[in-house]
């Protein structure tokens, strides 16, 4: 059966993967309300398409932190990709590069920054978890910079791991033949079996709960790479991130895997965009499965979006070819949405191209006296 949209890869991945692995990728925190809401919220935003505009040529290119990419669709960091496919992050890096877009490598990748760099040219960002041992952090950031990575995506919503009940039931742990490659030489590459989630125990032992805004400033003293703060969903934190020197903000709820009952990212996006006041670019991840979703995020002020689960599901299904296909399908759908909305470039996508639940009614007929 031919795959005709991004969502169809999830069912294929579910069939192919061991239950523990599929559940790790697919699940969210606690009741998984936010997991569903990340998707559902997109369906409550409707289009106001403009017609009779020449859409014979459509330009989807954009510039992110000075790097030109083919489309505003990028790859979010997703951990332990070799659980999905033997080529793991190598395949993902090649697919992103072939599509002319940016891949973000997870700190908890099963391939190292050097290995991913060895796949060939490409614009890559590095997602960073801050470990208690700051020497480990400094060393990792320097390695990413040396390997040609262009920015740091600092995850700020994980002082502790969210309660992911599937991982607790499955006693999730990294399969024995894999390691967290970036930490292999530091004896932090293995996860122990635990009587709940092995990852939750690993985070409790290694990740720094004292992380605060001063650390965002500290990071800027050890690297020249721009820092994107990933995991902001409020205006207050947007202003603090900019004050702390962030080069950009990723509106993210960690794929609904941390605090349940936070809003869908598409619902939090406009608040963050307004608070940023154009001072830094704002990006979104969480729930993007269609080109229409990409358009809606850009109409609400995002400079681009990141996809996470579609990458690991398509990787599990078809390896590098699957990831390429996901990127191509999203690109084609987004281009079609632009054409049918009357937009020929990203700057033509405006807030007037969508209508949301919180918009005031546009025109009320005058009351008859």
């Amino acid at each position: 059966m031919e795959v005709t949209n991004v969502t169809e890869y999830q069912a294929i991945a579910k069939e192919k993967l061991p239950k523990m692995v599929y559940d790790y990728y697919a699940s969210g925190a606690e009741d998984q309300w936010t997991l569903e809401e990340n998707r559902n919220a997109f369906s409550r935003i409707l289009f106001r398409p403009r017609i009779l505009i020449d859409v014979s040529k459509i330009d989807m290119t954009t510039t992110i932190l000075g790097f030109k990419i083919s489309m505003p669709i990028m790859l979010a960091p997703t951990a332990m990709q070799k659980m999905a496919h033997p080529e793991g992050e190598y395949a993902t890096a090649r697919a992103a590069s072939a599509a002319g877009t940016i891949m973000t490598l997870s700190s908890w990748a099963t391939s190292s920054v050097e290995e991913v760099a060895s796949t060939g040219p490409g614009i890559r960002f590095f997602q960073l978890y801050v470990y208690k041992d700051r020497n480990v952090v400094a060393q990792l950031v320097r390695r990413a910079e040396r390997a040609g990575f262009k920015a740091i995506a600092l995850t700020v919503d994980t002082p502790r791991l969210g309660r992911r009940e599937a991982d607790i039931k499955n006693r999730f742990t990294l399969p024995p033949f894999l390691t967290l490659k970036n930490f292999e030489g530091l004896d932090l590459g293995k996860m122990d079996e635990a009587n709940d989630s092995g990852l939750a125990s690993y985070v409790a032992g290694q990740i720094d709960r004292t992380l605060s805004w001063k650390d965002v400033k500290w990071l800027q003293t050890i690297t020249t790479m721009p820092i994107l703060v990933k995991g902001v969903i409020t205006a207050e934190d947007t202003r603090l991130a900019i004050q702390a020197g962030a080069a950009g903000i990723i509106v993210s709820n960690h794929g609904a895997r941390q605090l349940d009952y936070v809003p869908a990212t598409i619902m939090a996006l406009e608040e963050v965009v307004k608070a940023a006041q154009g001072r830094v670019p704002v990006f979104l991840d969480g729930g993007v499965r269609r080109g229409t979703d990409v358009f809606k995020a850009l109409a609400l002020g995002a400079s681009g979006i990141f996809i996470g689960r579609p990458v690991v599901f398509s990787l599990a299904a078809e390896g590098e070819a699957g990831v390429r296909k996901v990127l191509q399908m999203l690109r084609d759908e987004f281009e079609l949405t632009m054409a049918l909305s009357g937009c020929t470039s990203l700057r033509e996508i405006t807030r007037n191209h969508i209508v949301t639940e919180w918009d005031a009614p546009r025109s009320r007929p005058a009351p008859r006296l």
Side-chain angles (χ1 to χ4, degrees), residues 89-90 105 109-117 143 149 181-182:
E89 294 83 2
Y90 287 81
L105 182 71
T110 38
S111 314
S112 67
V113 287
E114 293 84 3
E115 287 172 333
V116 169
R143 280 172 57 199
F149 284 69
K181 262 289 189 319
N182 287 314

Side-chain angles (χ1 to χ4, degrees), residues 328-347:
Q328 189 62 50
M329 286 190 294
L330 283 174
R331 181 190 174 87
D332 291 345
E333 289 180 13
F334 177 54
E335 183 177 28
L336 182 59
T337 306
M338 284 178 70
L340 297 179
S341 297
C343 300
T344 63
S345 70
L346 302 191
R347 69 172 177 278

Side-chain angles (χ1 to χ4, degrees), residues 16-18 21 25 80-92 94 110-111 115 177-178 181 312 314-320:
K16 279 200 163 188
L17 291 171
V21 172
Y25 290 144
M80 312 177 216
Q81 292 179 12
K82 283 187 179 175
M83 293 195 308
H85 188 274
E87 290 178 22
E89 294 83 2
Y90 287 81
T92 302
R94 290 192 297 260
T110 38
S111 314
E115 287 172 333
F177 55 92
L178 296 174
K181 262 289 189 319
V312 288
S314 60
L315 186 64
E318 293 171 7
E320 181 185 337

Side-chain angles (χ1 to χ4, degrees), residues 15-313:
E15 271 183 27
K16 279 200 163 188
L17 291 171
K19 181 173 164 40
M20 179 188 79
V21 172
Y22 173 79
D23 286 354
Y24 170 71
Y25 290 144
S27 62
E30 298 186 356
D31 298 330
Q32 304 192 122
W33 182 86
T34 299
L35 183 67
E36 265 187 69
E37 179 66 3
N38 268 356
R39 279 298 305 129
N40 293 342
F42 278 105
S43 68
R44 301 195 297 271
I45 298 169
L46 303 181
F47 291 124
R48 300 183 69 248
R50 301 301 307 276
I51 52 164
L52 292 175
I53 292 163
D54 177 351
V55 290
S56 56
K57 289 191 184 68
I58 290 187
D59 178 13
M60 290 179 282
T61 61
T62 188
T63 303
I64 305 289
L65 301 180
F67 299 99
K68 193 166 184 187
I69 57 174
S70 67
M71 57 182 175
I73 301 165
M74 299 166 283
L75 284 72
T78 46
M80 312 177 216
Q81 292 179 12
K82 283 187 179 175
M83 293 195 308
H85 188 274
E87 290 178 22
E89 294 83 2
Y90 287 81
T92 302
R94 290 192 297 260
S97 179
T101 193
I102 293 165
M103 172 193 183
T104 316
L105 182 71
S106 169
S107 272
W108 295 336
T110 38
S111 314
S112 67
V113 287
E114 293 84 3
E115 287 172 333
V116 169
S118 78
T119 61
I123 305 153
R124 302 187 185 101
F125 294 172
F126 181 70
Q127 176 271 335
L128 181 68
Y129 281 118
V130 177
Y131 280 60
K132 290 173 181 172
D133 183 344
R134 291 309 159 88
N135 293 326
V136 167
V137 178
Q139 200 179 326
L140 193 51
V141 168
R142 275 196 295 272
R143 280 172 57 199
E145 199 160 7
R146 268 204 307 274
F149 284 69
K150 301 302 185 203
I152 295 285
L154 175 69
T155 297
V156 294
D157 57 12
T158 313
R160 299 172 56 172
L161 204 70
R163 183 175 174 82
R164 307 167 190 177
E165 291 175 6
D167 291 349
I168 297 168
K169 283 188 170 72
N170 295 332
R171 304 273 188 266
F172 174 80
T173 189
L174 188 61
F177 55 92
L178 296 174
T179 60
L180 302 179
K181 262 289 189 319
N182 287 314
F183 300 98
E184 204 172 32
L186 303 159
D187 288 335
L188 297 171
K190 279 287 179 201
M191 215 175 284
D192 298 322
E193 295 270 350
N195 23 356
D196 53 1
S197 152
L199 184 62
S201 304
Y202 180 85
V203 168
Q206 301 300 338
I207 302 303
D208 195 344
R209 296 184 186 185
T210 73
L211 190 69
S212 69
W213 291 110
K214 70 179 187 320
D215 298 293
V216 180
K217 292 184 168 147
W218 168 73
L219 264 181
Q220 292 162 74
T221 68
I222 65 164
T223 182
T224 58
M225 288 185 285
I227 293 160
L228 301 173
V229 178
K230 176 179 182 286
V232 173
I233 50 175
T234 64
E236 297 90 323
D237 285 334
T238 302
R239 290 188 280 266
L240 290 171
I242 294 167
Q243 278 168 26
I249 286 164
I250 303 174
V251 176
S252 173
N253 53 35
H254 210 115
R257 294 158 76 78
Q258 284 299 101
L259 181 61
D260 200 12
Y261 299 99
V262 294
T265 49
I266 195 69
M267 292 289 145
L269 176 60
E270 198 163 32
E271 174 180 331
V272 171
V273 166
K274 284 177 173 166
Q277 296 179 320
R279 290 173 289 181
V280 298
V282 175
F283 306 97
L284 171 137
D285 72 26
V288 175
R289 300 293 180 273
R290 286 277 188 191
T292 49
D293 301 334
V294 180
F295 187 101
K296 289 169 185 181
L298 268 62
L300 285 167
S303 292
I305 65 90
F306 290 88
I307 50 166
R309 286 187 184 89
V311 173
V312 288
F313 292 148

